[in-house]
PDB file of all heavy atoms in Angstrom:
ATOM      1  N   ILE A 220     -45.317 -44.181  12.716  1.00 88.00           N
ATOM      2  CA  ILE A 220     -45.595 -45.624  12.752  1.00 88.00           C
ATOM      3  C   ILE A 220     -46.566 -46.044  11.658  1.00 88.00           C
ATOM      4  O   ILE A 220     -46.879 -47.231  11.508  1.00 88.00           O
ATOM      5  CB  ILE A 220     -46.151 -46.028  14.138  1.00 88.00           C
ATOM      6  CG1 ILE A 220     -47.428 -45.250  14.452  1.00 88.00           C
ATOM      7  CG2 ILE A 220     -45.102 -45.781  15.221  1.00 88.00           C
ATOM      8  CD1 ILE A 220     -48.103 -45.698  15.732  1.00 88.00           C
ATOM      9  N   SER A 221     -47.068 -45.063  10.892  1.00 88.00           N
ATOM     10  CA  SER A 221     -48.013 -45.405   9.824  1.00 88.00           C
ATOM     11  C   SER A 221     -47.307 -45.992   8.613  1.00 88.00           C
ATOM     12  O   SER A 221     -47.932 -46.647   7.779  1.00 88.00           O
ATOM     13  CB  SER A 221     -48.798 -44.154   9.403  1.00 88.00           C
ATOM     14  OG  SER A 221     -47.918 -43.171   8.842  1.00 88.00           O
ATOM     15  N   LEU A 222     -46.020 -45.738   8.477  1.00 90.00           N
ATOM     16  CA  LEU A 222     -45.263 -46.250   7.335  1.00 90.00           C
ATOM     17  C   LEU A 222     -44.868 -47.696   7.563  1.00 90.00           C
ATOM     18  O   LEU A 222     -44.450 -48.072   8.666  1.00 90.00           O
ATOM     19  CB  LEU A 222     -44.006 -45.394   7.113  1.00 90.00           C
ATOM     20  CG  LEU A 222     -44.225 -43.924   6.736  1.00 90.00           C
ATOM     21  CD1 LEU A 222     -42.880 -43.197   6.676  1.00 90.00           C
ATOM     22  CD2 LEU A 222     -44.950 -43.801   5.404  1.00 90.00           C
ATOM     23  N   ARG A 223     -44.984 -48.486   6.514  1.00 91.00           N
ATOM     24  CA  ARG A 223     -44.582 -49.897   6.619  1.00 91.00           C
ATOM     25  C   ARG A 223     -43.056 -49.973   6.705  1.00 91.00           C
ATOM     26  O   ARG A 223     -42.348 -49.448   5.832  1.00 91.00           O
ATOM     27  CB  ARG A 223     -45.072 -50.669   5.402  1.00 91.00           C
ATOM     28  CG  ARG A 223     -46.573 -50.918   5.400  1.00 91.00           C
ATOM     29  CD  ARG A 223     -46.992 -51.603   4.115  1.00 91.00           C
ATOM     30  NE  ARG A 223     -46.197 -52.804   3.874  1.00 91.00           N
ATOM     31  CZ  ARG A 223     -46.283 -53.542   2.770  1.00 91.00           C
ATOM     32  NH1 ARG A 223     -47.148 -53.185   1.819  1.00 91.00           N
ATOM     33  NH2 ARG A 223     -45.527 -54.617   2.615  1.00 91.00           N
ATOM     34  N   PRO A 224     -42.517 -50.646   7.734  1.00 90.00           N
ATOM     35  CA  PRO A 224     -41.055 -50.714   7.883  1.00 90.00           C
ATOM     36  C   PRO A 224     -40.371 -51.431   6.716  1.00 90.00           C
ATOM     37  O   PRO A 224     -39.233 -51.127   6.394  1.00 90.00           O
ATOM     38  CB  PRO A 224     -40.866 -51.484   9.187  1.00 90.00           C
ATOM     39  CG  PRO A 224     -42.160 -51.344   9.910  1.00 90.00           C
ATOM     40  CD  PRO A 224     -43.213 -51.272   8.880  1.00 90.00           C
ATOM     41  N   ASP A 225     -41.088 -52.388   6.078  1.00 90.00           N
ATOM     42  CA  ASP A 225     -40.456 -53.103   4.987  1.00 90.00           C
ATOM     43  C   ASP A 225     -40.418 -52.274   3.704  1.00 90.00           C
ATOM     44  O   ASP A 225     -39.552 -52.462   2.857  1.00 90.00           O
ATOM     45  CB  ASP A 225     -41.184 -54.424   4.723  1.00 90.00           C
ATOM     46  CG  ASP A 225     -42.659 -54.201   4.400  1.00 90.00           C
ATOM     47  OD1 ASP A 225     -43.237 -53.205   4.915  1.00 90.00           O
ATOM     48  OD2 ASP A 225     -43.224 -54.978   3.622  1.00 90.00           O
ATOM     49  N   MET A 226     -41.344 -51.306   3.572  1.00 93.00           N
ATOM     50  CA  MET A 226     -41.370 -50.457   2.375  1.00 93.00           C
ATOM     51  C   MET A 226     -40.534 -49.190   2.569  1.00 93.00           C
ATOM     52  O   MET A 226     -39.987 -48.659   1.606  1.00 93.00           O
ATOM     53  CB  MET A 226     -42.829 -50.073   2.042  1.00 93.00           C
ATOM     54  CG  MET A 226     -43.727 -51.263   1.726  1.00 93.00           C
ATOM     55  SD  MET A 226     -43.155 -52.145   0.255  1.00 93.00           S
ATOM     56  CE  MET A 226     -43.486 -50.933  -1.007  1.00 93.00           C
ATOM     57  N   TYR A 227     -40.488 -48.706   3.780  1.00 94.00           N
ATOM     58  CA  TYR A 227     -39.721 -47.479   4.082  1.00 94.00           C
ATOM     59  C   TYR A 227     -38.738 -47.794   5.194  1.00 94.00           C
ATOM     60  O   TYR A 227     -38.946 -47.442   6.363  1.00 94.00           O
ATOM     61  CB  TYR A 227     -40.661 -46.336   4.493  1.00 94.00           C
ATOM     62  CG  TYR A 227     -41.605 -45.919   3.392  1.00 94.00           C
ATOM     63  CD1 TYR A 227     -42.871 -46.511   3.285  1.00 94.00           C
ATOM     64  CD2 TYR A 227     -41.233 -44.960   2.464  1.00 94.00           C
ATOM     65  CE1 TYR A 227     -43.744 -46.148   2.270  1.00 94.00           C
ATOM     66  CE2 TYR A 227     -42.104 -44.579   1.440  1.00 94.00           C
ATOM     67  CZ  TYR A 227     -43.349 -45.178   1.345  1.00 94.00           C
ATOM     68  OH  TYR A 227     -44.182 -44.806   0.334  1.00 94.00           O
ATOM     69  N   PRO A 228     -37.681 -48.540   4.870  1.00 94.00           N
ATOM     70  CA  PRO A 228     -36.742 -48.981   5.906  1.00 94.00           C
ATOM     71  C   PRO A 228     -35.953 -47.815   6.500  1.00 94.00           C
ATOM     72  O   PRO A 228     -35.839 -46.745   5.918  1.00 94.00           O
ATOM     73  CB  PRO A 228     -35.815 -49.937   5.146  1.00 94.00           C
ATOM     74  CG  PRO A 228     -35.866 -49.480   3.739  1.00 94.00           C
ATOM     75  CD  PRO A 228     -37.253 -48.962   3.514  1.00 94.00           C
ATOM     76  N   CYS A 229     -35.425 -48.088   7.667  1.00 95.00           N
ATOM     77  CA  CYS A 229     -34.600 -47.082   8.369  1.00 95.00           C
ATOM     78  C   CYS A 229     -33.203 -47.040   7.753  1.00 95.00           C
ATOM     79  O   CYS A 229     -32.633 -48.061   7.386  1.00 95.00           O
ATOM     80  CB  CYS A 229     -34.525 -47.448   9.842  1.00 95.00           C
ATOM     81  SG  CYS A 229     -33.474 -46.350  10.809  1.00 95.00           S
ATOM     82  N   SER A 230     -32.650 -45.834   7.647  1.00 95.00           N
ATOM     83  CA  SER A 230     -31.279 -45.646   7.160  1.00 95.00           C
ATOM     84  C   SER A 230     -30.406 -45.228   8.335  1.00 95.00           C
ATOM     85  O   SER A 230     -30.730 -44.259   9.057  1.00 95.00           O
ATOM     86  CB  SER A 230     -31.232 -44.565   6.077  1.00 95.00           C
ATOM     87  OG  SER A 230     -31.981 -44.970   4.951  1.00 95.00           O
ATOM     88  N   LEU A 231     -29.315 -45.959   8.551  1.00 95.00           N
ATOM     89  CA  LEU A 231     -28.389 -45.661   9.647  1.00 95.00           C
ATOM     90  C   LEU A 231     -27.027 -45.306   9.071  1.00 95.00           C
ATOM     91  O   LEU A 231     -26.606 -45.871   8.052  1.00 95.00           O
ATOM     92  CB  LEU A 231     -28.261 -46.861  10.579  1.00 95.00           C
ATOM     93  CG  LEU A 231     -29.537 -47.327  11.291  1.00 95.00           C
ATOM     94  CD1 LEU A 231     -29.245 -48.585  12.094  1.00 95.00           C
ATOM     95  CD2 LEU A 231     -30.097 -46.222  12.179  1.00 95.00           C
TER      96      LEU A 231
END
Side-chain angles (χ1 to χ4, degrees):
I220 59 174
S221 64
L222 296 175
R223 287 176 53 185
D225 58 330
M226 298 297 292
Y227 297 91
C229 177
S230 296
L231 299 176

